[in-house]
């Protein structure tokens, strides 16, 4: 139990310091400041109107204030326009790419979530997401329906406070493997999975217009495809905004049972499953947003102040390098720093970047002025100046930062968004220090990327980097480590615009000896291959040659190399494997660092990407608390499944541990198959305290690794079943590899582990699989001995008629003893059968695993069970139709309906055309002409008037449009002055 109390505290209290939220959102009174909304360069100005976006954020701010009981609203918001847009929208510009650090991204719709908004990168209850993905319909169209503000607040709950859905719809970024059911067993019936009682609606099979009541299947559960269709307008019942925000009466977050919006603990929702039955407000009150605020006035002005800026065409970067005496010791760190800085300038920094170099010891000086690198001559000029750096003296990091800001401000422009790459290996010994320049750094808005070398590096640079919107990195100094190269290449990658972004495809240490060739291989996959560069680095090392041979007998060879050499495959390289041979003329063994990077093969298509982070940037060591690691693996916005994902963790003493990450929905991985991989560092694996670096390596296996894609022939949403997986399929991908630096974290108060105090993971997959009168079966996925490692020893299955007792005092509930299954391999399905002793009574059941040392995992999600006596749920006395038969039946019904509608339309259109032709004889009165003309205007962003009727949960939409007014899609007739319009 101690493990999960630690994890729970970490999730609740550590989220503000999470790697994901290094982007600075702060509170000024009750108002959020620093909120950033970035528009993707894949959208053009006709698809997103800035004034519509402002209107949405303004109404969402007011709704957020009401929904949080007058605690929070959006005080100021920065909207970032892509650099590809015309520069006539604003006169204010910022440097650097903004999509990586934005809190809300306005992007093309994602078909994997039915083109709805969603939050990317949700990792656990109370933990923040990566960003909110908004699509044009939510911004341009839904505000007229009066829904968009609540939808945005709903997703802010996901993103900011780590709340989950409280309804039966499938809203996760991947729908195909989501096991979220529509109903739960309670009080002799099956109730809809929603955080509200007495919500009006009906149970329908297949789709909400089917008018066929659901039946029970052969297992006694609601049949496949059965869903609860909410009456969105007639409801007056209160419910959580994390449930169904489209219900008109739902405007708040649920709270305790005595509140106006009581939380429904029984419902088998993702929120109850992952947040241990706690209400939204129970989670929210633990967040610093609410700990640090008191309710404001109901009359508070909640209209945000907007700042519209546009990305500049180029970025300014200042390398602030430590040249103090300590850099001359410890294996000549100054040489490694000069080498990596030179390669950053020569090989990795994007074209048109302006780069300067500041060095510091007890004072600071400009080693190289701000120079725009366009030609090889520009780059070589900066490298020559770097090679002249010599290390000596004391350390004043503050002096180096202050000199960099002075240099940037000499240009006279706003320097917000400019980058400073700060590298240091020691503590600040001479004033000014970090604290002396902190306020100036934050006021100017520069982004600090802090690189600490060795265990003595100043700790305060980490916090300054995070608070500025940057990241902190760590290099142990170990010769076998590739961390320094990965860090600089990763910083260069994050500084690139989307169309010019580099992708790291290899990183490894290479040991070479005279007379022996070293051979390795890289893979150029189907998404990259433009201007690929292979780089070999070895400070002070001379080696004979390197040769690269690839498909089609292509061959590249270098001459003798000193310190470093590169091989570049210009243009588009063929897809396939490339063999690299390295020979050495040295008498002793030498260690080289090999990296390879490439650019996208087609900038308009998705590329394999990988990114990594931890649940926090600092951990107070505990022998029963794991460190949780995350990696997102995608192609464009589509998840990659079944990849080999490994994290390499290097400590300050040079120890390296390897952790496998999985996307299996077990333990701390909350959703199977969403492209978000999870792993843990067990306390027994940790060898020292202090800083640790992360390196992510993702390998796609040819023929095994898959991508989730939408089916090419999607059915109209009105006739789809509730199973969204029908619209998604997998497709195998070719082999690929990606490498990424994942930042750094610090372990405090480390002590060696001497005994097993690590319990199994909490089971979150408990579910009801059959309900046969009084006989029930439940199942769950097995977890391990230590979280998900090894086999647990036994299960304790608990049953009670009191939900609160099972949730809060499980130790007082005696476990069941009959036919308890023995734990199997993690991930296997366990099944348990039981009978309920009394009909008409609600029973609650939970399970937890125990290891051989007696450590108990936390109690699982709780499942409600009762004997069904509700006569409205009839058992289906029919042979289950195959999916093709079901589709055929639906097709027959729809064909008949379509024929009738077609006849009606033809007659009406004929009357319409005749009438208009009689009046004017103009072709512009033809129905098809007006329909096409109107569709064209809508697609080009014409404003919709308020009061338009739209339903975000039915795509594509069937609309009847009069003028600019979009009519109710549920009206299946049209009048002579209406036009038919589809949005796909």
């Amino acid at each position: 139990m101690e493990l999960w109390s630690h994890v729970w505290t970490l999730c609740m209290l550590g989220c503000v310091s999470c790697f994901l939220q290094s982007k600075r959102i702060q509170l000024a009174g009750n108002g959020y400041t620093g909120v950033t909304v970035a528009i993707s360069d894949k959208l053009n100005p006709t698809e997103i109107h800035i004034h519509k976006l402002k209107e949405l954020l303004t109404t969402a701010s007011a709704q957020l204030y009401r929904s949080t009981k007058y605690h929070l609203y959006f005080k100021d918001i920065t909207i970032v326009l892509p650099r590809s847009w015309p520069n006539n929208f604003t006169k204010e510009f910022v440097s650097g790419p903004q999509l990586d650090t934005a809190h809300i991204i306005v992007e093309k719709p994602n078909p994997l979530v039915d083109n709805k908004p969603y939050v990317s990168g949700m990792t656990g209850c109370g933990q923040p997401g990566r960003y909110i993905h908004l699509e044009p319909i939510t911004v341009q169209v839904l505000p007229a329906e009066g829904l968009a503000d609540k939808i945005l607040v709903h997703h802010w709950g996901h993103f900011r406070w780590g709340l989950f859905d409280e309804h039966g719809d499938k809203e996760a970024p991947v729908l195909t493997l989501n096991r979220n059911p529509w109903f739960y067993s309670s009080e002799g019936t099956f109730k809809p999975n929603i955080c509200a009682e007495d919500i009006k609606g009906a149970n329908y099979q297949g789709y909400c217009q089917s008018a066929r009541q659901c039946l029970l299947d052969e297992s006694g559960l609601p049949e496949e495809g059965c869903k609860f269709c909410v009456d969105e307008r007639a409801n007056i019942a209160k419910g959580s905004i994390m449930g169904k925000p489209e219900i008109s009466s739902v405007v708040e977050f649920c709270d305790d049972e005595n509140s106006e919006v009581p939380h429904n603990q029984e419902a088998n929702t993702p929120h109850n499953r992952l947040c241990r039955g706690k209400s939204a407000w129970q989670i929210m009150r633990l967040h610093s947003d609410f700990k640090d605020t008191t309710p404001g006035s109901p009359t508070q002005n909640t209209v945000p102040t907007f700042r519209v800026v546009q990305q500049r065409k180029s970025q300014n970067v200042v390398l602030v390098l430590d040249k103090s005496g300590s850099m001359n010791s410890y294996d000549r760190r100054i040489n490694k720093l000069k080498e990596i800085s030179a390669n950053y300038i020569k090989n990795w920094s994007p074209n048109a970047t302006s780069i300067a170099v500041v060095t510091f010891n007890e004072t600071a000086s400009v080693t190289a002025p701000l120079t725009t690198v366009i030609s090889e001559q520009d780059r070589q000029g900066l490298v020559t100046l770097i090679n002249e750096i010599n290390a000596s003296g004391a350390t004043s990091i503050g002096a180096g930062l202050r000199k960099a800001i002075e240099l940037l401000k000499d240009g006279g422009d706003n320097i917000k968004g400019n980058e400073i790459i700060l590298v240091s290996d020691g503590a600040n010994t001479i004033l000014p220090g970090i604290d002396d320049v902190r306020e100036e750094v934050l006021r100017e808005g520069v982004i600090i990327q802090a690189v600490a070398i060795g265990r003595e590096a100043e700790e305060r640079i980490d916090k300054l980097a995070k608070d500025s919107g940057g990241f902190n990195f760590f290099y142990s100094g170990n010769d076998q480590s590739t961390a320094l190269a990965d860090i600089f290449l990763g910083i260069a990658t994050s500084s690139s615009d989307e169309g010019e972004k580099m992708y790291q495809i290899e990183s490894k240490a290479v040991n070479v000896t005279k007379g022996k060739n070293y051979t390795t291989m890289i893979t150029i996959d189907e998404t990259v291959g433009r201007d690929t560069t292979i780089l070999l680095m070895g400070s002070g090392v001379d080696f004979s040659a390197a040769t690269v041979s690839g498909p089609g007998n292509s061959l590249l060879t270098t001459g003798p190399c000193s310190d470093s050499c590169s091989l570049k495959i210009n243009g588009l390289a063929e897809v396939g494997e490339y063999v690299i041979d390295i020979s050495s003329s040295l008498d002793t063994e030498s260690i080289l660092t090999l990296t390879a990077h490439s650019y996208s093969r087609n900038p308009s298509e998705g590329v394999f990407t990988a990114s990594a982070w931890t649940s926090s940037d600092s951990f107070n060591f505990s022998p029963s608390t794991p460190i949780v690691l995350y990696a997102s693996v995608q192609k464009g916005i589509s998840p990659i499944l079944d990849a080999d994902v490994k994290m390499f963790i290097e400590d300050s003493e040079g120890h390296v541990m390897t952790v496998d990450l999985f996307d299996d929905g077990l333990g701390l991985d909350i959703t199977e198959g969403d492209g978000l991989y999870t792993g843990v560092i067990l306390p027994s694996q940790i060898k020292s305290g202090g800083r640790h670096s992360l390196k992510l390596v993702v390998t796609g296996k040819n023929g095994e690794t898959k991508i989730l894609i939408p089916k090419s022939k999607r059915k109209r949403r009105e006739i789809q079943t509730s199973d969204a997986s029908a619209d998604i399929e997998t497709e195998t991908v070719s082999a690929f590899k990606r490498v990424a630096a994942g930042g750094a974290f610090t372990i405090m108060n480390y002590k060696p582990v001497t005994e097993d105090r690590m319990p199994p993971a909490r089971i979150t997959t408990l579910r009801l699989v059959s309900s046969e009168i009084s006989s029930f079966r439940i199942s769950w996925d097995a977890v391990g001995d230590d979280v998900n490692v090894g086999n647990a020893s036994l299960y304790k299955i608990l049953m009670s008629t009191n939900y609160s007792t099972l949730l809060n005092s499980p130790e007082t509930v005696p476990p069941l003893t009959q036919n308890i299954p023995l734990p199997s391999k993690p991930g296997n399905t366990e099944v348990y059968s039981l009978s309920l002793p009394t009909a008409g009574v609600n029973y609650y059941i939970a399970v937890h695993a125990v290891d051989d040392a007696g450590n108990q995992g936390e109690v699982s999600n709780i499942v409600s069970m009762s004997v069904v006596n509700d006569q409205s749920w009839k058992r289906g006395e029919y042979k289950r139709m195959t999916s093709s038969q079901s589709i055929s039946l639906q097709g027959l019904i729809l064909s008949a309906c379509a024929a009738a509608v077609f006849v009606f339309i033809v007659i009406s259109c004929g009357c319409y055309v005749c009438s208009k032709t009689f009046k004017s004889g103009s072709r512009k009165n033809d129905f098809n002409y007006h329909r096409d003309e109107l569709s064209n205007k809508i697609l080009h962003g014409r404003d919709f008037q308020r009061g338009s009727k739209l339903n975000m949960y039915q795509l594509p939409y069937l609309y009847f449009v009069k003028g600019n007014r979009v009519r109710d899609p549920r009206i299946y007739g049209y009048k002579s002055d209406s036009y038919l319009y589809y949005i796909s």
Side-chain angles (χ1 to χ4, degrees):
M1 295 297 288
E2 183 182 356
L3 160 70
W4 300 112
S5 65
H6 280 294
V7 171
W8 182 251
T9 303
L10 170 67
C11 294
M12 292 296 98
L13 303 182
C15 63
V16 176
S17 63
C18 279
F19 181 89
L20 293 178
Q21 293 243 26
S22 63
K23 339 169 209 183
R24 296 175 65 232
I25 294 179
Q26 295 184 333
L27 280 171
N30 295 97
Y32 283 120
T33 65
V35 177
T36 302
V37 181
I39 299 175
S40 167
D41 61 4
K42 295 182 178 64
L43 296 173
N44 61 57
T46 64
E47 294 174 288
I48 288 293
H49 289 175
I50 298 172
H51 75 275
K52 284 286 189 183
L53 184 56
K54 289 181 178 180
E55 288 175 6
L56 168 58
L57 295 166
T58 299
T59 56
S61 178
Q63 182 62 58
L64 180 65
Y65 196 57
R66 291 191 296 269
S67 297
T68 58
K69 303 177 182 180
Y70 309 123
H71 276 81
L72 300 165
Y73 66 94
F74 298 130
K75 186 178 181 66
D76 71 64
I77 298 174
T78 298
I79 298 175
V80 183
L81 310 182
R83 66 186 65 181
S84 58
W85 280 23
N87 60 4
N88 57 356
F89 290 97
T90 180
K91 295 182 179 179
E92 190 172 356
F93 295 86
V94 292
S95 297
Q98 303 294 319
L99 287 182
D100 290 342
T101 56
H103 308 105
I104 301 173
I105 296 177
V106 186
E107 175 64 283
K108 290 280 189 183
N110 185 346
L112 292 176
V113 293
D114 245 358
N115 304 315
K116 303 173 188 175
Y118 63 92
V119 172
S120 173
M122 294 191 66
T123 58
C125 183
Q127 297 190 66
R130 299 178 76 191
Y131 61 86
I132 299 173
H133 176 118
L134 287 184
E135 30 60 64
I137 289 177
T138 300
V139 177
Q140 299 286 98
V141 180
L142 289 182
E145 173 67 3
L147 284 178
D149 53 350
K150 290 197 293 179
I151 290 168
L152 185 51
V153 171
H154 170 100
H155 286 90
W156 189 262
H158 289 316
F159 163 74
R160 183 66 179 174
W161 309 311
L163 308 179
F164 286 84
D165 293 325
E166 299 191 74
H167 57 69
D169 258 335
K170 296 174 174 63
E171 192 185 287
V174 171
L175 307 177
T176 183
L177 298 173
N178 193 323
R179 291 172 171 166
N180 188 20
W182 279 96
F183 301 92
Y184 68 98
S185 173
S186 177
E187 297 181 338
T189 189
F190 288 100
K191 296 181 179 180
N193 253 333
I194 190 167
C195 187
E197 298 287 348
D198 303 320
I199 287 289
K200 292 182 179 180
N203 307 326
Y204 290 116
Q205 168 60 24
Y207 56 100
C208 288
Q209 290 81 23
S210 70
R212 179 165 90 70
Q213 285 291 114
C214 296
L215 301 171
L216 298 181
D217 63 17
E218 61 270 20
S219 65
L221 301 179
E223 62 187 327
E224 184 179 354
C226 179
K227 66 187 296 185
F228 180 73
C229 301
V230 173
D231 188 336
E232 296 172 7
R233 296 296 163 186
N235 274 291
I236 59 173
K238 301 288 186 181
S240 176
I241 206 166
M242 298 310 297
K244 288 282 193 180
E246 71 271 23
I247 299 173
S248 56
S249 58
V250 171
V251 295
E252 298 180 53
F253 294 94
C254 61
D255 207 339
D256 60 54
E257 60 184 10
N258 298 318
S259 70
E260 291 185 3
V261 188
H263 176 59
N264 181 6
Q265 289 183 317
E266 285 189 15
N268 192 11
T269 63
H271 185 83
N272 279 337
R273 180 168 62 87
L274 297 167
C275 294
R276 301 157 175 81
K278 299 180 184 296
S279 72
W281 266 107
Q282 283 179 285
I283 308 303
M284 291 157 65
R285 287 190 183 99
L286 293 172
H287 196 282
S288 61
D289 285 358
F290 297 93
K291 284 185 173 182
D292 298 340
T293 61
T294 55
S297 166
T299 60
Q300 169 72 48
N301 177 16
T302 61
V303 177
T305 298
F306 290 100
R307 177 172 172 246
V308 179
V309 300
Q310 188 168 12
Q311 290 178 262
R312 284 193 181 94
K313 300 295 183 183
S314 62
Q315 170 72 312
N316 295 330
V317 178
V318 181
L319 302 179
V320 178
L321 309 179
D322 188 344
K323 65 171 185 178
S324 62
S326 58
M327 291 292 292
N328 235 346
S329 56
Y330 303 112
D331 300 323
R332 299 281 296 171
R333 288 175 181 171
I334 192 65
N335 290 345
K336 294 180 181 178
L337 180 55
K338 290 194 293 185
E339 179 194 37
I340 208 68
S341 300
N343 277 298
Y344 169 81
I345 293 168
K346 286 193 301 184
N347 298 297
W348 299 330
S349 56
N351 262 338
T353 303
S354 295
I355 303 175
V357 181
V358 168
T359 53
F360 67 89
N361 43 28
E362 61 265 20
T363 61
S365 60
V366 176
T367 299
L370 202 61
T371 303
T372 302
V373 292
I374 298 174
S375 66
E376 291 300 319
Q377 185 177 0
D378 298 327
R379 296 175 187 269
Q380 189 56 50
L382 290 172
V383 170
T384 300
L385 295 173
I386 283 176
N387 287 335
E388 296 173 359
I389 298 172
N390 294 304
S392 65
T395 306
S396 177
I397 299 172
L401 291 171
R402 184 165 286 166
K403 179 64 72 173
I405 290 175
E406 289 174 3
L407 187 153
L408 289 170
K409 291 176 71 174
D410 282 346
D413 294 332
N414 169 23
I415 68 171
K416 182 178 175 62
N418 285 192
E419 275 188 317
I420 292 175
I421 302 176
L422 170 64
V423 188
S424 180
D425 77 333
N428 201 98
T429 56
I430 301 292
L431 296 179
I434 300 293
D435 294 339
D436 300 309
V437 299
R438 175 184 173 81
E439 184 178 339
E440 183 178 0
V441 168
L442 299 182
R443 182 178 64 250
E444 297 297 341
V446 292
I447 298 170
I448 308 294
Q449 310 288 7
V451 182
I453 299 179
R455 63 184 309 141
E456 304 300 327
E458 175 66 61
E459 294 179 358
R460 283 172 290 185
I461 65 174
D462 296 349
K463 187 175 189 309
L464 180 63
K466 182 186 67 178
D467 290 346
S468 73
F471 298 109
N472 53 290
F473 302 93
F474 174 67
Y475 168 54
S476 67
N478 189 325
D479 285 339
Q480 292 280 357
S481 172
T482 65
L484 203 56
D486 300 331
I487 290 165
F488 272 79
L489 203 156
I491 291 172
T493 298
S494 67
S495 299
S496 307
D497 195 25
E498 287 301 305
E500 303 168 351
K501 191 175 287 292
M502 291 185 303
Y503 299 92
Q504 189 174 358
I505 59 177
E506 187 54 276
S507 167
K508 62 172 59 176
V510 175
N511 292 5
V512 293
T513 305
K514 183 179 180 179
K516 293 183 180 179
N517 282 11
Y518 179 93
T519 301
T520 187
M521 191 166 53
I522 65 168
T523 299
I524 295 181
D525 61 75
E526 61 193 24
T527 70
V528 295
R530 182 166 52 90
D531 295 337
T532 303
T533 299
I534 300 161
L535 185 64
L536 286 160
M537 293 171 285
S539 177
V541 177
D542 298 326
F543 48 100
S544 296
T547 302
V548 176
S549 55
N553 297 318
S554 59
L555 188 69
L556 288 173
T557 303
T558 69
C561 298
S562 178
D563 290 338
S564 68
C565 65
S566 64
L567 299 97
K568 186 171 183 179
I569 307 173
N570 292 312
L572 280 179
E574 289 189 55
V575 173
E577 295 179 343
Y578 289 73
V579 177
I580 304 171
D581 284 304
I582 306 165
S583 59
S584 172
S585 57
L586 297 173
D587 293 328
T588 58
E589 183 179 72
S590 295
I591 301 170
L592 307 177
T593 296
L594 183 152
T595 68
H597 69 270
S598 188
Y599 296 85
S600 63
R601 186 168 292 270
N602 184 345
S604 65
E605 296 182 358
V607 178
F608 296 123
T609 61
S611 56
W613 65 95
T614 62
S615 56
S616 180
D617 57 11
S618 63
F619 297 90
N620 194 18
F621 181 82
S622 166
S624 58
T625 304
I627 293 172
V628 189
L629 309 173
Y630 302 103
S632 175
V633 186
Q634 297 177 298
K635 181 182 179 184
I637 55 176
S638 296
I640 297 293
L641 313 182
D642 299 325
D644 180 58
V645 181
K646 296 184 184 297
M647 201 87 81
F648 296 89
I649 300 95
E650 182 180 341
D651 69 12
S652 57
E653 296 179 359
H655 301 124
V656 178
M657 66 186 92
T658 305
V659 175
D660 292 307
L661 280 69
F662 300 97
D663 182 16
D664 52 12
L666 299 178
L668 299 181
D669 186 70
I670 62 174
T671 304
E672 180 184 3
D674 63 350
L676 183 60
Y677 291 72
T678 307
V680 296
I681 304 172
L682 299 175
S684 58
Q685 295 177 284
I686 299 171
K687 303 301 181 185
S688 69
R691 288 184 174 101
H692 290 63
S693 68
L694 293 172
K695 174 182 177 179
L696 174 68
V697 177
V698 176
T699 306
K701 297 165 285 187
N702 194 27
E704 296 181 35
T705 301
K706 297 178 281 293
I707 182 175
L708 275 180
I709 58 172
K711 287 187 176 178
S712 57
K713 294 182 179 179
R714 292 171 58 87
K715 301 186 291 290
R716 274 182 44 200
R717 187 62 176 159
E718 288 88 351
I719 64 171
Q720 290 173 2
T721 69
S722 61
D723 181 11
S725 64
D727 290 331
I728 296 175
E729 59 189 356
T730 60
E731 178 181 271
T732 57
V733 299
S734 64
F736 71 91
K737 187 173 184 179
R738 292 293 180 271
V739 180
F745 63 88
T746 301
I747 295 176
M748 301 173 292
N749 302 316
Y750 168 75
K751 293 180 181 179
V753 174
T754 57
E755 58 181 340
D756 180 6
R757 293 176 57 187
M758 178 61 60
R762 176 178 181 255
I763 294 166
T764 60
T765 54
L766 186 64
R767 52 199 176 268
L768 181 63
V769 294
S770 73
S771 170
E772 298 284 344
I773 309 177
S774 62
S775 297
F776 292 77
R777 279 195 309 150
I778 58 172
S779 74
W780 63 93
D781 296 332
V783 294
D785 178 290
D786 293 338
V787 190
N788 280 345
V789 178
N791 281 30
S793 294
L794 60 93
Y795 291 118
K796 288 186 178 180
I797 301 176
L798 312 177
M799 188 168 70
S800 174
T801 57
N802 189 300
Y803 184 101
S804 179
T805 298
L806 197 55
L807 177 67
N808 300 312
S809 305
E811 69 281 357
T812 66
V813 180
L816 303 178
T817 58
Q818 299 295 317
N819 303 316
I820 308 299
L822 288 174
S824 58
K825 182 180 176 181
N828 286 357
T829 300
E830 314 280 32
V831 178
Y832 179 69
S833 301
L834 71 160
S835 296
L836 297 186
T838 308
V841 175
N842 265 20
Y843 290 87
Y844 305 99
I845 195 161
V847 60
H848 55 153
V850 183
D851 69 11
D852 55 4
N855 299 306
Q856 291 189 163
E858 192 182 1
V859 169
S860 71
N861 59 301
I862 298 173
V863 170
S864 171
M865 300 181 300
S866 70
V867 176
V868 176
N869 54 24
D870 182 351
Q871 297 304 308
S872 67
W873 284 98
K874 301 182 184 301
R875 187 174 294 272
E877 296 184 3
Y878 58 92
K879 191 174 182 179
R880 177 180 290 277
M881 290 186 290
T882 65
S883 58
S884 60
Q885 288 172 327
S886 175
I887 292 171
S888 298
L889 178 59
Q890 290 181 359
L892 182 62
I893 295 170
L894 287 166
S895 296
C897 294
V901 171
F902 177 78
V903 172
F904 178 70
I905 290 175
V906 169
I907 294 171
S908 300
C909 286
C911 295
Y912 174 85
V913 172
C914 289
S915 171
K916 294 295 183 181
T917 304
F918 178 78
K919 289 181 179 179
S920 66
S922 170
R923 183 196 177 280
K924 288 192 175 182
N925 288 319
D926 178 68
F927 176 85
N928 290 328
Y929 178 89
H930 279 286
R931 179 195 62 194
D932 294 341
E933 181 184 46
L934 179 62
S935 299
N936 184 60
K937 288 178 180 177
I938 291 175
L939 288 173
H940 283 80
R942 172 172 282 199
D943 295 347
F944 291 88
Q945 296 181 18
R946 299 193 69 81
S948 302
K949 179 66 180 178
L950 299 166
N951 185 344
M952 68 169 288
Y953 291 97
Q954 293 180 328
L955 285 172
Y957 302 104
L958 174 62
Y959 293 130
F960 294 89
V961 184
K962 177 181 179 183
N964 277 350
R965 298 185 69 83
V966 182
R967 298 302 188 190
D968 192 330
R970 290 170 291 189
I971 300 174
Y972 291 112
Y974 72 92
K975 299 179 181 179
S976 60
D977 56 357
S978 298
Y979 305 109
L980 193 63
Y981 177 60
Y982 293 87
I983 295 179
S984 295

